[in-house]
Amino acid sequence: MFTGIVQGTGRIKSREARGGDLRLEIDCAGVLEPAVLVPGASIAVNGVCLTVVDPAGACFHADVSVETLSLTTAGDLEPGSPVNLEPALAMGDTLGGHLMSGHVDGIGKLVSLHQDARAWRMRFAAPESLPPLIAAKGSIAVDGTSLTVNAVDGDEFEVAIIPATMERTVMSGYGVGTRVNLEVDMIARYLARLLEARELNA
């Protein structure tokens, strides 16, 4: 579990194709404590829950499955790409954002951005299946960053990005057309599934 409070940005050190899927090496120096980089630990990388493999110093490897490559932007990452990093939630940690699983629901795209006082307004287009699960003043994760939805308009939604978030995350590098990982609020996800099941059994 995660909360969407990004610790900072690391960088992709290397990528290697392996039998149809991918292995990434991620440099998290100065962002994650070595104590969290143990084999089997979960780290959210741009909102994607990945498992630590072969940690070494301030770096770790993670395998990205075909399923994950098909549903996320992980396949877009190249050596040098910045990534949002968050270690898994521990019992007793502060819930500063909202509960997230690190299981991406789909890929969105930035369609517009403009400055609003010291913040930035960003509007994203969501995949067709997601808008019914996105609510104004509800929560959404964009590349693993917990955000409040300001407005929903058809298949698009808008968020405001404060200076601290811009400085701490990969959002400072976004431009129109940037592809992002989206994870909707898990309560909305399960409610939608419950209603679907009830309709099938009606």
Side-chain angles (χ1 to χ4, degrees):
M1 300 294 291
F2 305 92
T3 67
I5 304 301
V6 173
Q7 296 288 303
T9 58
R11 290 199 174 271
I12 300 300
K13 188 172 182 181
S14 67
R15 60 175 280 161
E16 177 188 357
R18 286 196 172 189
D21 55 31
L22 189 65
R23 173 167 284 199
L24 297 175
E25 183 181 11
I26 300 155
D27 184 348
C28 53
V31 180
L32 300 181
E33 295 292 333
V36 305
L37 300 179
V38 296
S42 295
I43 306 290
V45 179
N46 279 356
V48 181
C49 180
L50 297 179
T51 300
V52 172
V53 178
D54 297 334
C59 296
F60 69 95
H61 293 83
D63 292 318
V64 187
S65 69
V66 172
E67 173 77 1
T68 300
L69 290 171
S70 70
L71 293 175
T72 74
T73 64
D76 299 346
L77 298 173
E78 298 287 347
S81 295
V83 287
N84 288 332
L85 297 174
E86 181 190 355
L89 182 67
M91 292 297 291
D93 283 353
T94 300
L95 296 178
H98 71 282
L99 286 175
M100 295 162 38
S101 64
H103 301 159
V104 171
D105 293 296
I107 297 173
K109 182 172 68 172
L110 181 64
V111 296
S112 69
L113 73 165
H114 67 273
Q115 200 154 6
D116 182 15
R118 294 190 307 115
W120 285 85
R121 295 270 182 169
M122 293 189 179
R123 180 174 284 260
F124 295 91
E128 184 178 347
S129 61
L130 295 190
L133 306 179
I134 303 172
K137 303 308 174 187
S139 297
I140 193 164
V142 176
D143 276 344
T145 303
S146 175
L147 299 171
T148 299
V149 177
N150 287 350
V152 181
D153 181 15
D155 67 349
E156 297 180 356
F157 67 93
E158 186 177 273
V159 294
I161 312 300
I162 62 173
T165 302
M166 287 290 277
E167 293 167 6
R168 197 180 188 91
T169 71
V170 299
M171 289 186 164
S172 59
Y174 284 2
V176 172
T178 297
R179 287 162 29 102
V180 297
N181 295 318
L182 300 177
E183 182 181 337
V184 300
D185 185 86
M186 64 174 61
I187 295 175
R189 183 192 298 163
Y190 285 111
L191 279 174
R193 176 60 184 141
L194 177 62
L195 291 173
E196 179 185 23
R198 291 180 71 175
E199 288 177 1
L200 290 173
N201 295 325

